[in-house]
Amino acid sequence: MPWDRNQMAARAAEELEDGMYVNLGIGIPTLVANYVGDKEITLQSENGMLGMGPFPYEGEEDPDLINAGKQTITELPKTSYFDSSMSFAMIRGGKIAAAILGAMEVAENGDLANWMIPGKLVKGMGGAMDLVAGVGRVIVVMDHTNKHGESKVLKECTLPLTGKGVVDRIITNLGVLDVVEGGLKIVETAEGVTEDELRAATEATIVG
Amino acid sequence: MKKVYGSAAEALDGLLFDGMTIAAGGFGLCGIPELLIDAMVESGVKDLTIASNNCGVDGFGLGKLLDTKQIKKMMSSYVGENAEFMRQYLSGELELEFNPQGTLAERMRAGGAGIPGFYTKTGVGTVVAEGKEVKNFRGEDYILEEGIFADLSIVKAWKADTTGNCVFRKTARNFNPPAAMCGKICVMEVEEIVQPGELDPDHIHLPGIFVHRIIQGEHEKRIEQRTVRKREEA
């Protein structure tokens, strides 16, 4: 059985180490926060907050307190607030240890595309281009294939890039792959998924 | 010099002209200058270029100025959650200059700090780098981005004293300080105006030198994504 959204998030949480400052993207990456366990992780929200807390209790929502996905959230005793230029100073300046992001396409050379489909869907890059350029480690969490069953793990991205050669690790519903010299290396497969099944669903070159 | 004005329309009087460039604070609908945006809709000023991370949502915030077709060009990082924004862009009615979020914030800060350009790694190898100077520092490529020098800044803070020293609240700070800095004139709306001395000088987020006109008013502060958790059973 391939991993579901929550299992992918739980697997991504294993990438995080005690003491890390981390930025989580919108979608499945947001769920990673539910699986960090006892590790002391400080979540950065690029709209200007370090130390992001959980969703508020009903009736305690504060319109002045949201995350980068515009969801109402809460603060923690360790929280700090700052403006957007300070926020990206810590991102671009390499102070954030890791970013976990969603993707439309990833290529074997670490290229990432996750912000637009020309002529069809325009979301915008938001803070993703700054994050992939600046943070220590970029981990992508996404479904291995699109809704037409086509691989999203490609030899070359077809969509406009978010960053060139920026992805370190890819976690999909089928398994975990690292970007290495010459292509992708299988780190592990989801329980019940064989390496052959993972290779079959992958357009990119798999080495080793 | 009197900085406090009676209404948004009074505070904007004499500052608006067609074709002008405006820097606006806010992230999504959080910390946006609602009252000044409404007054701009009323004024009918048009052909605006607006630097703002988002363009509000359909029918609220800067989205109101999209509905009335007063905006010619947006400089933004994110279009999502705004159907009219995407429609006007895809149909070619609206120019859109995509800026990575951190680049947009730094372009505002730089403009406000008198820095006409800076180099950044963000966007290297992407469409954002097209037409921009590339320079290698310590073995890595960086692109040249220009500071934003706006005709007007419209921003929102929580409290300001009558000299413009102000504090923001939680994540409503976001783009407001850099947006405030990069305009020739900055008009700020706040929830409460206090007397000098009431705010701790050590806790001022933006000194009043950056703020020229101030208004106080009631804010709707609409929530874009209301997310909550259940209370555990006692």
Side-chain angles (χ1 to χ4, degrees):
Chain A
M1 279 286 283
W3 285 324
D4 63 21
R5 290 163 60 87
N6 285 300
Q7 288 168 314
M8 287 158 71
R11 177 59 189 81
E14 291 177 26
E15 302 292 320
L16 305 181
E17 292 165 27
D18 203 45
M20 271 187 175
Y21 291 94
V22 177
N23 183 293
L24 302 178
I26 297 166
I28 301 173
T30 305
L31 302 174
V32 174
N34 300 336
Y35 299 96
V36 296
D38 294 337
K39 286 181 280 198
E40 169 78 22
I41 302 293
T42 303
L43 298 177
Q44 201 247 18
S45 192
E46 66 265 28
N47 53 320
M49 179 184 199
L50 268 173
M52 189 170 29
F55 293 149
Y57 293 121
E58 202 168 346
E60 294 179 5
E61 308 91 316
D62 183 340
D64 288 339
L65 184 43
I66 64 168
N67 63 19
K70 285 103 180 180
Q71 298 171 311
T72 47
I73 48 164
T74 56
E75 64 186 19
L76 302 170
K78 67 178 174 183
T79 294
S80 59
Y81 298 110
F82 33 84
D83 70 52
S84 298
S85 64
M86 173 72 86
S87 178
F88 285 91
M90 57 188 79
I91 288 171
R92 217 187 291 103
K95 317 299 177 189
I96 306 288
I100 302 180
L101 303 171
M104 294 171 179
E105 295 177 346
V106 183
E108 62 191 46
N109 61 356
D111 287 359
L112 168 68
N114 71 354
W115 69 281
M116 82 175 296
I117 303 171
K120 274 191 198 161
L121 172 75
V122 194
K123 287 197 309 173
M125 68 288 283
M129 282 193 183
D130 309 275
L131 281 161
V132 299
V135 304
R137 196 168 151 73
V138 175
I139 299 155
V140 162
V141 181
M142 64 173 192
D143 282 327
H144 209 93
T145 55
N146 66 22
K147 59 180 185 237
H148 307 294
E150 297 155 350
S151 186
K152 294 170 67 174
V153 185
L154 306 173
K155 289 190 191 302
E156 269 182 51
C157 289
T158 63
L159 298 171
L161 296 184
T162 307
K164 210 164 173 47
V166 293
V167 176
D168 295 292
R169 178 163 278 194
I170 308 163
I171 299 172
T172 75
N173 52 326
L174 301 184
V176 180
L177 299 135
D178 273 350
V179 178
V180 297
E181 194 66 39
L184 303 178
K185 183 166 164 284
I186 297 174
V187 176
E188 66 190 73
T189 58
E191 215 173 282
V193 173
T194 66
E195 271 202 28
D196 285 344
E197 285 167 334
L198 180 63
R199 283 169 193 272
T202 307
E203 190 213 88
T205 311
I206 292 179
V207 297
Chain B
M1 192 186 70
K2 175 182 158 294
K3 291 190 178 181
V4 178
Y5 285 70
S7 71
E10 275 176 43
L12 291 174
D13 187 42
L15 302 181
L16 302 177
F17 59 93
D18 293 349
M20 71 189 301
T21 297
I22 294 173
F27 181 93
L29 299 180
C30 183
I32 59 170
E34 298 176 15
L35 309 172
L36 293 164
I37 292 167
D38 285 349
M40 287 181 53
V41 172
E42 284 292 310
S43 79
V45 65
K46 59 181 193 298
D47 296 328
L48 300 171
T49 294
I50 300 183
S52 168
N53 188 56
N54 314 83
C55 196
V57 296
D58 292 294
F60 194 68
L62 289 173
K64 290 182 179 179
L65 287 165
L66 280 178
D67 291 341
T68 53
K69 310 273 172 73
Q70 287 169 270
I71 304 176
K72 187 180 78 172
K73 178 180 175 182
M74 287 300 300
M75 301 163 75
S76 304
S77 84
Y78 198 73
V79 176
E81 285 95 50
N82 189 327
E84 179 64 12
F85 192 176
M86 200 192 302
R87 190 199 66 73
Q88 287 191 17
Y89 168 59
L90 290 176
S91 71
E93 292 166 51
L94 178 76
E95 287 175 56
L96 173 57
E97 180 189 293
F98 270 118
N99 281 251
Q101 195 175 136
T103 296
L104 183 64
E106 191 62 17
R107 289 185 65 192
M108 290 181 181
R109 197 201 69 83
I115 296 170
F118 59 91
Y119 292 94
T120 176
K121 261 193 300 191
T122 302
V124 170
T126 74
V127 293
V128 165
E130 284 173 11
K132 290 174 185 161
E133 184 196 326
V134 179
K135 190 168 166 133
N136 194 280
F137 293 90
R138 301 181 306 274
E140 271 197 274
D141 282 344
Y142 292 76
I143 55 173
L144 177 65
E145 293 282 1
E146 295 188 4
I148 292 173
F149 298 84
D151 297 306
L152 173 69
S153 303
I154 54 170
V155 298
K156 193 251 168 190
W158 180 37
K159 291 181 185 181
D161 70 22
T162 54
T163 75
N165 292 320
C166 62
V167 291
F168 300 89
R169 189 170 171 275
K170 303 183 188 287
T171 56
R173 193 182 319 184
N174 57 60
F175 275 85
N176 282 296
M181 289 169 68
C182 76
K184 282 186 203 128
I185 299 279
C186 171
V187 183
M188 172 177 280
E189 60 183 64
V190 299
E191 295 175 44
E192 189 182 353
I193 295 175
V194 300
Q195 290 306 308
E198 288 187 51
L199 300 173
D200 183 338
D202 265 333
H203 293 172
I204 302 295
H205 294 143
L206 184 73
I209 193 167
F210 293 108
V211 182
H212 304 93
R213 300 184 180 187
I214 313 158
I215 56 159
Q216 176 180 319
E218 292 292 317
H219 293 81
E220 178 181 336
K221 296 213 271 187
R222 194 182 290 184
I223 290 176
E224 205 167 332
Q225 305 275 346
R226 189 178 299 274
T227 44
V228 295
R229 70 185 140 139
K230 289 242 180 313
R231 269 176 214 281
E232 288 87 12
E233 298 292 323

